[in-house]
Amino acid sequence: MALAYWKDLATIVGIVIAVLTYLTNSYFQFRNKRIENLKRYFDAHDQLFDADGFIMANIKELEADTYKRDTTDKDMEKKFNRFLGDVEKIAYLTSHGAVPTTVQVYMFGWFAQKVHPHLTNGERSNIFWELAIHYIDELKKAADDYTRLPNEKREKYLKKNTLAYAKYS
């Protein structure tokens, strides 16, 4: 009987250790996946800021609110087309919850606000740009909401929703 008791106890301890190992492993896999998704997002986000890309070619005008889109400028339209393609990559990443909306608003919301008015009806009606256009539309709305928050609510928003903000405030 004593041997059966120790055998049962060892089985229970083994099961507890297995469950703890599984839970610990699952937690770290989830954490690592989140970090990988953020890295993918940051890499795609960085592509938007290529030296010869649309944003960097027009950053001063966008900042000064003097940007006027000239759809007859073929080189700039190529850059804008590539910009929309890069936005699509970000939209794919974010559509599956890979990156929290708060990070998206903080990292790209201002640009969505600046680019949104310059989208053409042709781009809006093109079924192959639907994802990029929808992403810009939704992110602009979220950025508009964020900018209307008073400072203390923006700080609370960042502390609650952004990865490491609380460590630096």
Side-chain angles (χ1 to χ4, degrees):
M1 177 133 164
L3 186 59
Y5 169 79
W6 289 110
K7 180 182 151 198
D8 292 344
L9 185 61
T11 301
I12 291 170
V13 169
I15 290 171
V16 168
I17 290 172
V19 168
L20 289 174
T21 301
Y22 172 78
L23 292 174
T24 302
N25 187 35
S26 295
Y27 167 77
F28 283 108
Q29 282 184 356
F30 174 77
R31 182 178 171 270
N32 288 341
K33 185 173 182 163
R34 185 172 182 198
I35 291 169
E36 288 173 20
N37 286 337
L38 285 169
K39 171 120 176 55
R40 284 187 198 105
Y41 175 82
F42 292 144
D43 289 344
H45 183 270
D46 287 348
Q47 287 180 347
L48 295 171
F49 296 91
D50 282 345
D52 62 340
F54 169 77
I55 288 179
M56 295 313 292
N58 297 289
I59 190 70
K60 289 183 181 185
E61 292 85 2
L62 289 168
E63 286 176 343
D65 284 329
T66 59
Y67 175 74
K68 302 281 188 252
R69 185 169 175 194
D70 178 4
T71 56
T72 63
D73 182 344
K74 297 301 177 196
D75 289 334
M76 193 56 65
E77 285 301 295
K78 286 179 186 175
K79 289 179 183 188
F80 194 80
N81 192 282
R82 177 164 179 173
F83 167 78
L84 287 177
D86 290 340
V87 168
E88 262 185 339
K89 292 175 189 174
I90 291 173
Y92 275 117
L93 276 172
T94 59
S95 67
H96 297 288
V99 180
T101 303
T102 53
V103 173
Q104 298 170 52
V105 168
Y106 189 77
M107 296 288 294
F108 190 61
W110 184 84
F111 293 100
Q113 288 175 318
K114 297 297 181 179
V115 169
H116 185 268
H118 303 286
L119 297 171
T120 65
N121 289 333
E123 289 156 349
R124 289 192 169 283
S125 63
N126 186 331
I127 61 171
F128 296 106
W129 285 130
E130 284 178 347
L131 183 62
I133 301 301
H134 178 73
Y135 180 74
I136 291 171
D137 287 344
E138 292 302 310
L139 195 56
K140 181 201 175 292
K141 288 178 194 170
D144 289 346
D145 291 343
Y146 177 72
T147 58
R148 283 192 289 268
L149 292 174
N151 189 42
E152 60 275 357
K153 287 194 176 184
R154 281 195 312 273
E155 286 182 19
K156 185 177 179 182
Y157 174 90
L158 289 172
K159 284 180 184 177
K160 178 181 176 193
N161 298 307
T162 306
L163 301 174
Y165 181 82
K167 291 181 184 177
Y168 301 106
S169 58

